[in-house]
Amino acid sequence: MSQFLNEHLIHRDEDFMVIHKPAGILTVPGKTADLQDCVINRLLQEEPRTLLIHRLDRDTSGILVFALSKFGQNRISRQFQERQTSKIYQAVVAGHLQGEGTVDVPVVYDPSRPPLHIADPSHNKPALTHWKATEHFEMQGQPVTRVELTPITGRSHQLRVHMQYLGHPIVGDTLYATPEQLLLDRLCLHAERLSFLHPKTEQLVEFYCPVPF
Protein backbone atom coordinates (compact mmCIF):
# COMPACT_ATOMS: atom_id res chain seq x y z
CA MET A 1 0.00 0.00 0.00
CA SER A 2 1.39 3.38 -0.99
CA GLN A 3 2.15 5.96 1.64
CA PHE A 4 -0.76 8.13 0.48
CA LEU A 5 -3.27 5.27 0.71
CA ASN A 6 -1.83 4.11 3.99
CA GLU A 7 -2.16 7.56 5.54
CA HIS A 8 -5.54 8.54 4.11
CA LEU A 9 -7.68 5.40 3.70
CA ILE A 10 -10.91 5.36 5.75
CA HIS A 11 -12.69 2.36 4.18
CA ARG A 12 -12.17 -0.09 1.33
CA ASP A 13 -14.14 -2.97 -0.13
CA GLU A 14 -14.60 -4.59 -3.55
CA ASP A 15 -16.55 -1.72 -5.10
CA PHE A 16 -15.31 1.53 -3.57
CA MET A 17 -12.89 3.18 -1.17
CA VAL A 18 -13.26 6.21 1.07
CA ILE A 19 -10.29 8.57 1.39
CA HIS A 20 -9.47 11.45 3.73
CA LYS A 21 -8.42 14.14 1.26
CA PRO A 22 -5.97 16.66 2.73
CA ALA A 23 -6.42 20.37 1.99
CA GLY A 24 -4.30 21.82 -0.81
CA ILE A 25 -4.42 18.97 -3.34
CA LEU A 26 -6.67 18.68 -6.40
CA THR A 27 -9.08 15.75 -6.74
CA VAL A 28 -8.34 15.39 -10.48
CA PRO A 29 -5.58 16.85 -12.67
CA GLY A 30 -5.76 20.44 -13.87
CA LYS A 31 -5.23 21.53 -17.46
CA THR A 32 -1.55 22.47 -17.18
CA ALA A 33 1.57 20.42 -16.53
CA ASP A 34 2.06 21.90 -13.04
CA LEU A 35 -1.40 20.70 -11.94
CA GLN A 36 -0.99 16.97 -12.57
CA ASP A 37 -0.33 16.01 -8.94
CA CYS A 38 -3.78 15.13 -7.56
CA VAL A 39 -5.56 12.56 -5.44
CA ILE A 40 -6.74 10.32 -8.27
CA ASN A 41 -3.28 10.18 -9.91
CA ARG A 42 -1.68 9.26 -6.57
CA LEU A 43 -4.28 6.53 -6.05
CA LEU A 44 -3.92 5.17 -9.60
CA GLN A 45 -0.21 4.59 -9.03
CA GLU A 46 -1.09 2.10 -6.30
CA GLU A 47 -4.61 0.98 -7.28
CA PRO A 48 -5.12 1.01 -11.08
CA ARG A 49 -8.84 0.26 -10.72
CA THR A 50 -9.54 3.66 -9.11
CA LEU A 51 -12.51 5.43 -10.73
CA LEU A 52 -13.83 8.94 -10.08
CA ILE A 53 -17.21 9.45 -8.41
CA HIS A 54 -17.21 13.04 -7.10
CA ARG A 55 -14.79 15.84 -6.23
CA LEU A 56 -13.82 18.24 -3.49
CA ASP A 57 -12.27 21.67 -4.09
CA ARG A 58 -8.49 21.71 -3.86
CA ASP A 59 -8.55 23.66 -0.60
CA THR A 60 -11.32 21.59 1.04
CA SER A 61 -10.38 18.57 3.16
CA GLY A 62 -12.39 15.52 4.17
CA ILE A 63 -14.29 12.54 2.82
CA LEU A 64 -13.83 11.61 -0.84
CA VAL A 65 -15.19 8.40 -2.41
CA PHE A 66 -13.62 6.56 -5.35
CA ALA A 67 -15.02 3.47 -7.06
CA LEU A 68 -13.06 0.25 -7.54
CA SER A 69 -15.52 -1.24 -10.06
CA LYS A 70 -17.75 0.09 -12.83
CA PHE A 71 -20.70 -1.31 -10.89
CA GLY A 72 -19.73 0.67 -7.79
CA GLN A 73 -19.07 3.80 -9.83
CA ASN A 74 -22.48 3.65 -11.55
CA ARG A 75 -24.47 2.93 -8.38
CA ILE A 76 -22.78 5.51 -6.16
CA SER A 77 -22.51 8.20 -8.87
CA ARG A 78 -26.24 7.95 -9.47
CA GLN A 79 -26.91 8.62 -5.79
CA PHE A 80 -24.78 11.77 -5.96
CA GLN A 81 -26.52 12.93 -9.14
CA GLU A 82 -30.00 12.30 -7.72
CA ARG A 83 -29.16 13.92 -4.35
CA GLN A 84 -29.66 10.68 -2.44
CA THR A 85 -26.44 11.03 -0.45
CA SER A 86 -26.25 12.85 2.87
CA LYS A 87 -23.28 15.22 3.31
CA ILE A 88 -22.29 17.25 6.36
CA TYR A 89 -19.44 19.75 6.31
CA GLN A 90 -17.80 21.66 9.14
CA ALA A 91 -16.54 25.20 8.61
CA VAL A 92 -15.25 28.15 10.60
CA VAL A 93 -16.59 31.46 9.32
CA ALA A 94 -15.62 35.05 10.03
CA GLY A 95 -17.71 37.00 12.51
CA HIS A 96 -20.47 36.08 14.95
CA LEU A 97 -23.17 34.05 13.19
CA GLN A 98 -26.11 33.07 15.39
CA GLY A 99 -28.75 30.37 15.11
CA GLU A 100 -29.49 28.33 12.00
CA GLY A 101 -31.08 28.78 8.62
CA THR A 102 -31.14 28.04 4.91
CA VAL A 103 -29.55 29.81 1.96
CA ASP A 104 -31.62 29.23 -1.18
CA VAL A 105 -29.79 31.27 -3.84
CA PRO A 106 -28.38 29.98 -7.16
CA VAL A 107 -24.58 29.89 -7.47
CA VAL A 108 -23.14 30.46 -10.94
CA TYR A 109 -19.71 30.76 -12.52
CA ASP A 110 -18.49 34.32 -13.08
CA PRO A 111 -16.67 34.22 -16.46
CA SER A 112 -15.29 37.73 -15.94
CA ARG A 113 -13.36 36.61 -12.81
CA PRO A 114 -12.32 32.94 -13.08
CA PRO A 115 -12.41 30.80 -11.01
CA LEU A 116 -14.92 32.81 -8.96
CA HIS A 117 -18.59 31.94 -8.61
CA ILE A 118 -21.32 34.33 -7.47
CA ALA A 119 -24.73 34.17 -5.84
CA ASP A 120 -27.25 35.09 -8.53
CA PRO A 121 -30.92 35.06 -7.47
CA SER A 122 -32.02 35.50 -11.10
CA HIS A 123 -30.46 32.22 -12.25
CA ASN A 124 -32.66 29.15 -12.80
CA LYS A 125 -30.41 26.43 -11.29
CA PRO A 126 -31.12 26.17 -7.55
CA ALA A 127 -28.44 25.99 -4.87
CA LEU A 128 -29.58 25.12 -1.37
CA THR A 129 -27.56 24.96 1.86
CA HIS A 130 -28.72 24.42 5.44
CA TRP A 131 -26.46 25.93 8.11
CA LYS A 132 -26.29 25.78 11.89
CA ALA A 133 -23.97 27.75 14.19
CA THR A 134 -22.47 25.43 16.81
CA GLU A 135 -19.67 27.36 18.56
CA HIS A 136 -18.37 30.90 18.95
CA PHE A 137 -14.73 31.67 19.72
CA GLU A 138 -11.88 33.94 18.71
CA MET A 139 -9.06 33.39 16.25
CA GLN A 140 -6.16 35.86 16.33
CA GLY A 141 -8.39 38.17 18.36
CA GLN A 142 -11.19 38.08 15.75
CA PRO A 143 -14.67 36.62 16.42
CA VAL A 144 -15.38 33.47 14.43
CA THR A 145 -18.18 30.89 14.36
CA ARG A 146 -18.05 27.14 13.82
CA VAL A 147 -20.92 26.08 11.57
CA GLU A 148 -22.35 22.77 10.40
CA LEU A 149 -23.21 22.94 6.70
CA THR A 150 -25.54 20.57 4.88
CA PRO A 151 -25.56 21.10 1.10
CA ILE A 152 -28.73 19.83 -0.57
CA THR A 153 -27.43 20.67 -4.04
CA GLY A 154 -23.81 20.30 -5.15
CA ARG A 155 -22.86 23.40 -7.12
CA SER A 156 -19.20 24.37 -7.52
CA HIS A 157 -18.06 26.61 -4.64
CA GLN A 158 -21.61 26.47 -3.24
CA LEU A 159 -20.75 26.47 0.46
CA ARG A 160 -18.05 29.11 0.06
CA VAL A 161 -20.30 31.47 -1.92
CA HIS A 162 -23.30 30.92 0.37
CA MET A 163 -21.29 31.78 3.47
CA GLN A 164 -19.98 34.92 1.74
CA TYR A 165 -23.59 35.74 0.77
CA LEU A 166 -24.53 35.65 4.47
CA GLY A 167 -21.72 38.09 5.18
CA HIS A 168 -19.61 35.45 6.95
CA PRO A 169 -16.98 34.09 4.51
CA ILE A 170 -15.12 30.93 5.47
CA VAL A 171 -11.86 31.58 7.33
CA GLY A 172 -8.84 31.02 5.07
CA ASP A 173 -10.84 31.42 1.85
CA THR A 174 -8.46 33.20 -0.52
CA LEU A 175 -11.23 33.61 -3.11
CA TYR A 176 -14.17 34.88 -1.07
CA ALA A 177 -12.84 36.30 2.21
CA THR A 178 -11.17 39.67 2.73
CA PRO A 179 -7.48 39.68 3.75
CA GLU A 180 -8.56 40.46 7.33
CA GLN A 181 -10.78 37.35 7.36
CA LEU A 182 -8.14 34.84 6.25
CA LEU A 183 -6.72 34.28 9.77
CA LEU A 184 -5.36 30.82 8.88
CA ASP A 185 -3.25 29.57 5.97
CA ARG A 186 -5.85 26.96 5.02
CA LEU A 187 -9.51 27.02 4.05
CA CYS A 188 -11.55 26.04 7.12
CA LEU A 189 -13.96 23.80 5.21
CA HIS A 190 -14.05 20.05 5.83
CA ALA A 191 -16.29 17.24 4.54
CA GLU A 192 -16.93 15.53 7.87
CA ARG A 193 -19.71 13.00 7.22
CA LEU A 194 -21.07 11.19 4.19
CA SER A 195 -23.71 8.49 3.93
CA PHE A 196 -25.19 6.60 0.98
CA LEU A 197 -26.56 3.16 0.12
CA HIS A 198 -23.93 0.47 -0.36
CA PRO A 199 -23.89 -0.46 -4.08
CA LYS A 200 -24.23 -4.20 -3.40
CA THR A 201 -26.09 -4.61 -0.10
CA GLU A 202 -28.18 -1.41 -0.48
CA GLN A 203 -27.70 -0.89 3.26
CA LEU A 204 -26.99 2.64 4.48
CA VAL A 205 -23.28 3.19 5.12
CA GLU A 206 -21.95 6.28 6.91
CA PHE A 207 -18.38 7.55 7.06
CA TYR A 208 -16.80 10.08 9.41
CA CYS A 209 -13.57 12.06 9.16
CA PRO A 210 -12.63 14.22 12.19
CA VAL A 211 -12.29 17.96 11.67
CA PRO A 212 -8.62 19.06 11.62
CA PHE A 213 -9.27 22.66 12.68
Side-chain angles (χ1 to χ4, degrees), residues 64-139:
L64 196 53
V65 184
F66 291 90
L68 292 171
S69 67
K70 275 290 184 187
F71 174 80
Q73 185 185 40
N74 291 339
R75 286 292 180 93
I76 300 171
S77 293
R78 188 175 300 125
Q79 293 182 62
F80 274 91
Q81 291 160 7
E82 296 177 359
R83 302 178 194 168
Q84 295 170 340
T85 62
S86 176
K87 296 176 274 189
I88 296 177
Y89 288 72
Q90 292 285 337
V92 176
V93 302
H96 189 93
L97 180 60
Q98 195 76 14
E100 58 186 291
T102 299
V103 184
D104 184 4
V105 183
V107 173
V108 297
Y109 179 64
D110 181 359
S112 68
R113 297 182 300 159
L116 291 183
H117 289 64
I118 54 172
D120 181 1
S122 69
H123 203 266
N124 60 358
K125 279 191 176 178
L128 186 63
T129 303
H130 299 318
W131 63 269
K132 180 180 181 181
T134 60
E135 183 187 1
H136 299 99
F137 57 104
E138 286 195 350
M139 193 178 279

Side-chain angles (χ1 to χ4, degrees), residues 2-9 19-20 22 25 39 42-43:
S2 74
Q3 189 174 355
F4 186 83
L5 259 177
N6 194 37
E7 289 179 1
H8 297 97
L9 186 67
I19 300 294
H20 168 206
I25 180 172
V39 175
R42 291 188 187 188
L43 294 175

Side-chain angles (χ1 to χ4, degrees), residues 7-11 18-23 56 60-64 88-90 146 186 189-195 206-213:
E7 289 179 1
H8 297 97
L9 186 67
I10 296 172
H11 169 87
V18 181
I19 300 294
H20 168 206
K21 180 186 121 30
L56 290 177
T60 304
S61 59
I63 294 175
L64 196 53
I88 296 177
Y89 288 72
Q90 292 285 337
R146 187 177 297 278
R186 69 148 290 172
L189 180 61
H190 179 77
E192 181 190 40
R193 294 180 186 273
L194 174 67
S195 58
E206 181 173 12
F207 302 99
Y208 169 74
C209 185
V211 184
F213 48 80

